[in-house]
Amino acid sequence: MKREIPLLITFIAGFLIVVALFIPHPPFNKIEETFNSWYIIVAGFTFILGIDSLILHNWEKIRRRSEGWPFALTVILSFFITLIWGIVSGVRTGHIFSTNSTFRNYFYLYIYVPLQATMFAILSFFIASAAYRAFRARTLNATLLLLTASIVMLGRVPLGNVALIPVISIAVLMLLWVLVDELKYVTSPTQRLIYIGIAVVAVVAAFPITKFLYHNLSPVTDWIMNVPQMAAKRGLFIGLALGGIAVSLRIILGIEQSYMS
Amino acid sequence: MNTFEKLAQIDRRIIYLILFIVVAIPFLFKVQISMKPTSDVVEAYEFIDSIPEGSAVIISIDYDASSMPELQPMLEAILRHLFSRNIRVLLMSQWALGLPLGQEAIEQVAEEYDKKYGVDYVVLGYRPGLQAVIINMGRDLPATFDNVDYKNRPLKDMPVMEGIKNYGNIAVIIGLEAGSVGDLWAQFANSRYGVKLILGATAVVAPDLYPYKQAGQVVAILGGLRAAADYETLVKHKGAATYGMASQAFVHFLIIAFIILGNIGYLASRRKRRS
């Protein structure tokens, strides 16, 4: 019975919610509303689970003097300082985020916000460094990714079309450099001809491409985002949705039971 | 190691330092670059412009401090537009720690336009439950927030809530997104109740929302700092986003320069290896 009753509850709840979507009339719409209200209450309680997990995990680290235990101590102290400050401030002003709340005016605005913003801002340094190291034209796919990313990056900022001129010029020079280099190792006359052809096309096409992008960088960026990007994203979304439906059905029908373990 | 090869191995601390300088200088000198607002932003602006005076809109703060540089200026610019047109604003949050940022902005902008709490705007607060909250708001909006505002004051006593029962009385929901709540607004609020949506998002999140725009479920998507700066241009009030755009533009140029240098170094070292 320990397994059967939760499975039955899951089945009834899941089934009724699905029915309510297709028949949004009494009594199903009321049932869905009630279930949603329960869900909101249960979701509130998940915070308690989170706190429980945070405290126990870090307390265990401190107790065992595991590596980095002072950080765990900092977490627990910060948690209780925040909690107590928040409660005191909330009781005194009616709400922790009231305009005259010291929790909001000192803790939230001058400690929490700058700390979190700083943590996130650090990412920009890693992204710049990672882009420098990872965006190498090692293969054709990598080169295409590199070119597309560069166009979108320039297309998303003002003056991007102006910066495009030196970028394309350097890219063409680099391509010529690679082709000339490759020619030294190519023995087949056909292959040599192809390489020379690519070089000539690159030089001839560079000017019109630059001119076109200079005037149409924004629409080209929009096209990249709205067509190839969106096609990949839609495929991903459809896959995710189908996967979600399959897992939901397995849970409702009691085939998938791992959530109970 | 020759000069070209050295280009492939620039110390990361040098990259960090150059990046810091490139970000800081335009900010310090308040460098401004003129821009033509993008079509998406113009669409959002024109839609809000077409809302009749006295209508009510919901703004959902679905971000926190980490995404504040992109979304806070966007929020402020949108609020300026709404208040200048005497549109009622119902502020809520799906992120527990996002609400105070919304409060901060709305209090500041309301003061500029002489708007009163409870009359012209209200802060509904935060409720956990994401899609459950969105669905229930479509049936009974005040009841989803227990018929009180964030400080437990009854909503029925506030003129701003007059005639508001559910999404049928809301002109548009404006969601400012740093995560996946935007998907939920489109999937539940728009699909089930047909309410109009404008989604503002960080540049990273915006591409995830484009399918909803193409499907007609979202009126417009405001993506990243650029959209915030464009909105500031349209409401004729330059702020943090406009000043931040110069930094962002220069950083993009810098990253592309680094990518080019890295590739020159890579090609040079490949040539050496082969020879």
Side-chain angles (χ1 to χ4, degrees), chain A residues 127-138 142 145-146, chain B residues 259 262-263:
Chain A
I127 287 171
S129 178
Y132 164 69
R133 273 165 233 288
F135 272 145
R136 300 273 157 95
R138 289 193 174 92
L145 182 71
L146 174 67
Chain B
I259 291 172
N263 276 286

Side-chain angles (χ1 to χ4, degrees), chain B residues 18-37:
Chain B
I18 297 172
L19 189 83
F20 174 75
I21 294 167
V22 168
V23 171
I25 287 179
F27 257 117
L28 292 175
F29 293 98
K30 295 208 166 179
V31 177
Q32 282 182 47
I33 304 175
S34 62
M35 296 168 289
K36 187 172 170 255

Side-chain angles (χ1 to χ4, degrees), chain A residues 209-257:
Chain A
I209 288 175
T210 311
K211 194 179 167 191
F212 174 75
L213 286 176
Y214 182 83
H215 294 292
N216 299 288
L217 187 58
S218 197
V220 169
T221 308
D222 287 343
W223 182 84
I224 291 171
M225 296 305 286
N226 289 329
V227 183
Q229 188 271 146
M230 192 102 80
K233 204 122 246 175
R234 275 187 197 285
L236 212 74
F237 276 11
I238 292 169
L240 278 171
L242 290 174
I245 292 168
V247 172
S248 304
L249 276 176
R250 284 172 64 87
I251 292 172
I252 290 171
L253 297 173
I255 303 165
E256 175 68 55
Q257 298 182 10

Side-chain angles (χ1 to χ4, degrees), chain B residues 52-236:
Chain B
E53 275 195 20
S55 304
V57 305
I58 292 174
I59 296 185
S60 183
I61 310 296
D62 307 332
Y63 64 91
D64 60 11
S66 57
S67 310
M68 196 180 161
E70 280 178 285
L71 296 175
Q72 195 76 354
M74 198 184 284
L75 170 67
E76 288 171 8
I78 292 170
L79 282 171
R80 282 194 176 93
H81 191 195
L82 293 169
F83 283 149
S84 70
R85 300 210 57 255
N86 297 317
I87 292 168
R88 291 179 283 165
V89 177
L90 281 58
L91 192 85
M92 59 169 287
S93 179
Q94 298 268 29
W95 282 37
L97 288 165
L99 191 69
L101 298 176
Q103 277 176 269
E104 189 73 9
I106 206 166
E107 281 160 13
Q108 181 204 321
V109 179
E111 205 179 313
E112 286 173 27
Y113 289 86
D114 199 24
K115 298 292 175 188
K116 300 276 175 290
Y117 186 86
V119 179
D120 304 296
Y121 72 97
V122 65
V123 179
L124 296 172
Y126 161 78
R127 287 288 179 281
L130 299 168
Q131 59 268 49
V133 173
I134 295 172
I135 293 168
N136 277 8
M137 280 169 69
R139 300 242 166 81
D140 192 338
L141 202 152
T144 310
F145 293 89
D146 303 319
N147 298 301
V148 289
D149 75 346
Y150 81 111
K151 282 182 94 172
N152 286 324
R153 289 171 291 205
L155 291 174
K156 64 177 170 49
D157 298 342
M158 298 183 186
V160 67
M161 291 300 288
E162 212 176 277
I164 294 174
K165 178 69 184 157
N166 52 34
Y167 290 144
N169 316 111
I170 299 295
V172 66
I173 296 174
I174 301 167
L176 299 176
E177 315 298 336
S180 58
V181 183
D183 298 70
L184 302 178
W185 283 116
Q187 288 163 13
F188 293 98
N190 175 270
S191 299
R192 290 185 71 166
Y193 299 101
V195 63
K196 300 274 185 201
L197 272 183
I198 291 175
L199 296 175
T202 56
V204 177
V205 171
D208 289 346
L209 302 172
Y210 277 99
Y212 300 115
K213 166 81 169 62
Q214 213 173 48
Q217 288 177 271
V218 174
V219 174
I221 291 167
L222 309 173
L225 193 71
R226 171 71 194 264
D230 285 348
Y231 217 102
E232 284 180 352
T233 308
L234 290 170
V235 296
K236 297 180 180 65

